[in-house]
Amino acid sequence: MSRPELTEWLSGLGEPAEVGSLRARQLYHWLYVRGETAPSRMTTLPRHLRELLEEHADLARPIVVAEQTAHDGTRKWLLRFRDGREVETVFIPEDDRAALCVSTQVGCSLSCKFCHTGTMRLARNLKAGEILAQILVARDRLNDWPSARNDRRVTNIVVMGMGEPLLNYREVAAAFRIVVDGEGIGISRRRVTLSTSGVVPRIADWGRDLGTGLAISLHAVRDDLRDELVPINRKWPIAELLEACRRYPAPRPITFEYVMLRGINDSDADARELVRLLRGLKAKVNLIPFNPWPGAPYRCSEPGRIRAFAAIVEAGGYPSPVRAPRGRDILAACGQLKTTVEQRRRRAPVSSSHDPTEPIAHLSAT
Ligand code: SAH
Ligand code: SF4
């Protein structure tokens, strides 16, 4: 809930209007700045309100069904919500910052051909609270609340987990208003990046409502190939997508994600065409080595091919770092997230994050 929603909810519980907005503010602070889940510990609230919360509020986190840590320090959590649906959230530490990759849907309706999540059906959209809960659980598990230490561990958020965020616009926007609010989760919009496969009309909406960093899953420079790899291209082709990018009020250059598929989209001619398409845009190209998953119909381009492709894009004036695959050994890398009913049956919950201090079993990284 946002502050206005909390105010309204409190008034529904009979809190007098004169104190409602102050109480909402205090509660908002406990929830998002302190990460508190026990009303009894919300010491700035009067006792009657703590009791009301005990009775009427559900502050429980989703269940942490599994936690895995990769050799490179990447961590992945499988979270289960009240209805039994599950998503994955990935923590990606780097030298001077760390990103949390959050999911926005259970599955995805778009079936991009190279994406593991795309082989799942869309089960449902996540609610704003379930999107925020991924951040809260990560902070619990990483001991990343302000009382614990001063330098925060989760410094950036990337909306690049399971699902297409712009097809769950209302809930994703509601969650991120709280994320970027300095009195809420407090991660600035410059440190948030939303990745979309190209839901063109929603790009402008997101620019107006949140204006975070933007990443576009481009992956092909011709419509015939992009129609096949990223089927939403049939509805909004490359030219329209790039037009929306040109109008986007980006706080920093837009990232174009380009998955390197051997013999499919990785030729010199593709690289030159990419440079031509981006002309006039403030952009950066993120080359993503294809991450394999069981049954995937593609292979990753050879390292030499990726370097040659990157050199052409760089010479054209666009930085084109190759994204180091992170957490591949635990299937946590781009496009590898997928939860299945079979996984769920095999695994008993290892923790409910009601008690974040409780030790948690680490599954072996296989
Ligand atoms: N649905 C959104 C966000 C999630 S996907 C989107 O498509 O942008 C995050 C990124 O991982 C996207 O750029 C996606 O195209 C890429 N990706 C998907 N499968 C991949 C794979 N197997 N290897 C590498 N990158 C992949
Ligand atoms: Fe969905 Fe993104 Fe995967 Fe495409 S790449 S299937 S939009 S999650």
Side-chain angles (χ1 to χ4, degrees):
M1 284 191 202
S2 63
R3 264 170 305 186
E5 285 167 339
L6 285 172
T7 308
E8 202 182 311
W9 183 76
L10 288 172
S11 100
L13 288 180
E15 268 304 278
E18 346 38 293
V19 294
S21 94
L22 167 69
R23 296 297 178 228
R25 210 185 178 83
Q26 291 172 314
L27 185 51
Y28 190 79
H29 182 85
W30 282 111
L31 295 178
Y32 302 120
V33 178
R34 307 287 291 267
E36 188 51 71
T37 56
S40 60
R41 287 196 291 261
M42 298 182 178
T43 48
T44 58
L45 300 181
R47 192 214 289 225
H48 80 274
L49 186 52
R50 282 182 263 156
E51 285 167 0
L52 275 179
L53 286 172
E54 291 282 6
E55 202 181 327
H56 298 281
D58 183 355
L59 306 181
R61 304 276 200 253
I63 292 168
V64 181
V65 180
E67 175 174 78
Q68 289 172 282
T69 305
H71 299 306
D72 64 10
T74 301
R75 284 216 220 178
K76 183 171 85 167
W77 295 281
L78 175 63
L79 304 182
R80 183 183 299 161
F81 299 112
R82 223 166 265 114
D83 66 349
R85 294 293 184 185
E86 296 175 344
V87 298
E88 293 181 313
T89 305
V90 183
F91 174 71
I92 310 149
E94 285 171 48
D95 292 343
D96 54 346
R97 59 190 187 150
L100 189 72
C101 179
V102 300
S103 294
T104 54
Q105 298 181 309
V106 182
C108 187
S109 60
L110 291 182
S111 47
C112 300
K113 267 178 87 181
F114 49 85
C115 174
H116 205 194
T117 308
T119 65
M120 293 174 74
R121 291 220 192 136
L122 174 68
R124 68 170 174 85
N125 283 324
L126 294 188
K127 306 298 285 178
E130 294 171 328
I131 297 166
L132 287 168
Q134 296 172 60
I135 304 172
L136 304 180
V137 166
R139 290 213 151 140
D140 289 345
R141 305 302 319 166
L142 296 164
N143 205 6
D144 190 28
W145 294 109
S147 56
R149 46 191 290 152
N150 292 324
D151 51 331
R152 306 308 292 271
R153 298 197 64 189
V154 175
T155 60
N156 294 58
I157 307 277
V158 295
V159 192
M160 296 186 182
M162 298 164 63
E164 168 47 56
L166 296 185
L167 290 181
N168 180 16
Y169 192 87
R170 199 186 48 184
E171 299 298 321
V172 176
F176 277 86
R177 283 193 190 97
I178 295 172
V179 171
V180 303
D181 179 2
E183 292 179 45
I185 300 278
I187 295 179
S188 89
R189 69 188 183 98
R190 299 172 171 278
R191 289 178 172 271
V192 172
T193 304
L194 177 124
S195 174
T196 178
S197 57
V199 185
V200 164
R202 287 305 199 180
I203 292 176
D205 295 341
W206 188 261
R208 182 194 60 229
D209 295 342
L210 274 305
T212 67
L214 183 67
I216 301 288
S217 292
L218 191 63
H219 308 314
V221 291
R222 298 187 323 269
D223 281 320
D224 59 343
L225 180 60
R226 195 164 189 271
D227 282 350
E228 194 186 320
L229 296 179
V230 187
I232 201 177
N233 194 68
R234 294 178 202 150
K235 196 156 183 186
W236 292 293
I238 295 173
E240 287 181 31
L241 176 56
L242 292 178
E243 191 46 42
C245 292
R246 285 178 211 283
R247 296 209 201 97
Y248 187 81
R252 51 188 162 73
I254 294 176
T255 302
F256 287 85
E257 297 162 286
Y258 197 96
V259 63
M260 299 300 291
L261 304 173
R262 189 185 301 185
I264 303 282
N265 66 353
D266 61 353
S267 71
D268 287 355
D270 288 319
R272 284 193 294 268
E273 179 61 9
L274 178 55
V275 170
R276 198 188 65 80
L277 283 177
L278 297 183
R279 204 161 286 151
L281 258 168
K282 275 211 174 112
K284 156 180 152 186
V285 174
N286 213 326
L287 298 177
I288 315 178
F290 170 67
N291 291 307
W293 38 270
Y298 298 107
R299 282 182 303 165
C300 183
S301 308
E302 304 279 7
R305 182 89 295 272
I306 300 180
R307 279 196 298 274
F309 192 100
I312 293 172
V313 179
E314 295 267 352
Y318 295 99
S320 57
V322 178
R323 185 182 289 177
R326 298 294 304 267
R328 264 190 186 173
D329 52 333
I330 56 168
L331 284 183
C334 301
Q336 293 184 313
L337 303 185
K338 176 173 176 172
T339 59
T340 64
V341 176
E342 297 83 74
Q343 273 176 328
R344 183 155 69 228
R345 271 200 234 106
R346 266 190 317 210
R347 291 169 178 171
V350 290
S351 156
S352 131
S353 52
H354 275 296
D355 179 5
T357 56
E358 180 193 349
I360 189 163
H362 284 254
L363 300 179
S364 60
T366 49

